[in-house]
Amino acid sequence: MKKRTVALIGGGQMGRALAGGMMGSDVIAAADLTVVDHNQASQQWWKENHPQVTVVASPDGHLDRSDLVILAVKPYAITKVAAQIAAGGSEKLIVSIAAGVPLAKLSASVGHQRVIRVMPNTPSLVGAGASAYCADEAATEADCQWIDEALSGVGVAAQVTEAQMDAVTGLSGSGPAYICLVIEALADGAVLCGLPRALAMRLAAQTVMGAAKMVMDTGRHPGELKDAVASPGGTTIAALQSLEENGLRAAMIAAVEASAKRSAELS
């Protein structure tokens, strides 16, 4: 795919993850990236870790050289930043990772409809993200293909309708927090049963990662993999009975629904 020049507005953690993944997967070259961030500590990080990247404090006069702009800023800053882009008058591709900001608002703010909205998640920071995106009507097939490849550089990506973005938020957007809670709870259980805290946490995290990898790599249904561990009258089936009695399945479903509902309210 033809490389594009990119302006990244917001060089914080998620911006670093996405840009790092794109450079690492050869979607963009460091010399073709301009990072706009007024925070001096962030500017210094970019200069030390990616010296070939252009780092500036303001977008003024620096967006013309870019084929597209990625908005990696907080939702409250979108309108102000988008207004600066709109002042340039061009209709270059705009990609936003601001949570809860719908395509209609993005389009209205930048003055055109060539926009793509992305919901990444924090495991993108370690190359294991689960991202989804939706595109407004003026975004081309090539635009969508490019962002799909860019997001795939930090995990997996899927195109969805905007109506599905709240569900994505409830699942993969907020999901890492649910799983971190599960890891902590598993470790607590192991400590209760006599394991040292550090070892319990390590084994719990590895167990969750391993189970997820089995689902991804084998393509088998999680229920099938669960049944393969639960031998008749054994330890695992006793534990599964306890989980069902204590409502783990219902709690997880309710968590996704609550997050999706809140996402819809914020939008």
Side-chain angles (χ1 to χ4, degrees):
M1 180 182 293
K2 178 182 178 294
K3 288 188 174 65
R4 301 191 186 189
T5 53
V6 176
L8 173 68
I9 301 182
Q13 289 294 326
M14 194 56 71
R16 294 174 190 179
L18 293 176
M22 288 188 288
M23 290 186 285
S25 59
D26 206 33
V27 174
I28 60 172
D32 292 331
L33 175 63
T34 298
V35 175
V36 181
D37 198 315
H38 61 80
N39 183 281
Q40 292 186 347
S42 182
Q43 292 178 24
Q44 188 62 32
W45 183 92
W46 281 97
K47 291 173 182 177
E48 290 176 356
N49 290 276
H50 299 285
Q52 290 182 294
V53 171
T54 300
V55 182
V56 297
S58 170
D60 295 340
H62 294 284
L63 300 184
D64 291 344
R65 67 183 291 265
S66 301
D67 297 322
L68 64 98
V69 179
I70 298 177
L71 304 180
V73 298
K74 298 295 184 183
Y76 68 81
I78 280 289
T79 301
K80 179 180 178 181
V81 173
Q84 292 175 302
I85 297 170
S90 69
E91 293 193 3
K92 63 182 64 185
L93 176 63
I94 307 298
V95 177
S96 170
I97 66 170
V101 180
L103 290 172
K105 183 174 181 179
L106 290 170
S107 297
S109 298
V110 299
H112 65 79
Q113 292 181 295
R114 194 181 173 205
V115 297
I116 292 178
R117 174 185 170 190
V118 176
M119 171 51 70
N121 67 358
T122 52
S124 299
L125 296 168
V126 292
S131 302
Y133 64 95
C134 59
D136 214 331
E137 58 187 44
T140 67
E141 183 177 345
D143 290 337
C144 292
Q145 184 180 357
W146 188 90
I147 196 62
D148 195 286
E149 186 171 338
L151 294 172
S152 295
V154 290
V156 298
Q159 185 172 8
V160 299
T161 66
E162 185 161 39
Q164 295 171 320
M165 287 294 277
D166 292 327
V168 169
T169 300
L171 177 58
S172 56
S174 299
Y178 318 153
I179 302 306
C180 285
L181 187 63
V182 168
I183 292 171
E184 183 182 32
L186 288 172
D188 284 346
V191 171
L192 178 65
C193 294
L195 282 186
R197 170 68 62 182
L199 177 58
M201 196 68 73
R202 182 182 178 194
L203 291 178
Q206 180 67 31
T207 298
V208 170
M209 184 176 71
K213 186 171 175 58
M214 286 178 66
V215 173
M216 295 290 288
D217 289 358
T218 67
R220 294 167 68 186
H221 191 281
E224 183 184 358
L225 294 172
K226 174 208 69 177
D227 290 346
V229 185
S231 55
T235 58
T236 303
I237 194 64
L240 291 172
Q241 180 187 20
S242 176
L243 291 174
E244 292 291 356
E245 289 175 347
N246 286 283
L248 176 67
R249 190 190 303 266
M252 287 295 187
I253 293 172
V256 174
E257 184 182 34
S259 178
K261 181 179 178 181
R262 182 58 178 155
S263 175
E265 291 170 352
L266 292 174
S267 296

